[in-house]
Amino acid sequence: MWTEEKIADAFGQIMKEVTEAEFDKEPVLRKEKLLGEKIDLKARDLVVLLHRTEDVFDVSVPDDFICDGNFDTYDHILGLLLQLLVK
């Protein structure tokens, strides 16, 4: 069973694997666009993040979430995971 704390910890670990950003030390980065200058992920890194997130949490990120441009920040993705997993 996923709790908010476990989700946040696991997602934080995924983000450490995919990016060099220090989200723990600089929480303001959680609102920055992952493909933007401050985080500077490449499109392929975003695909890796998507697959890794879906694998770890055993979820499918809704297509409309991606197509609407919401798979774009740490906070947006974490918020979606909390919606999907915390009942």
Side-chain angles (χ1 to χ4, degrees):
M1 184 84 176
W2 288 103
T3 64
E4 289 185 23
E5 184 178 344
K6 287 180 183 179
I7 293 166
D9 289 345
F11 183 65
Q13 186 60 41
I14 292 168
M15 292 301 290
K16 284 180 186 176
E17 294 170 9
V18 175
T19 180
E20 295 177 10
E22 300 275 346
F23 293 104
D24 291 339
K25 294 180 183 175
E26 296 183 64
V28 69
L29 292 177
R30 295 177 180 196
K31 295 183 183 330
E32 293 292 331
K33 301 287 186 184
L34 297 175
L35 296 176
E37 259 183 46
K38 292 186 180 179
I39 309 298
D40 198 32
L41 285 184
K42 306 298 180 226
R44 67 179 173 271
D45 298 325
L46 207 57
V47 173
V48 169
L49 175 61
L50 172 63
H51 287 286
R52 184 84 177 105
T53 300
E54 289 182 331
D55 287 347
V56 167
F57 293 103
D58 194 28
V59 296
S60 179
V61 174
D63 291 343
D64 62 336
F65 187 80
I66 296 167
C67 292
D68 290 346
N70 293 318
F71 196 83
D72 64 341
T73 69
Y74 185 109
D75 281 349
H76 285 164
I77 300 167
L78 181 57
L80 173 69
L81 292 171
L82 293 173
Q83 285 179 346
L84 294 174
L85 297 168
V86 177
K87 307 288 186 210

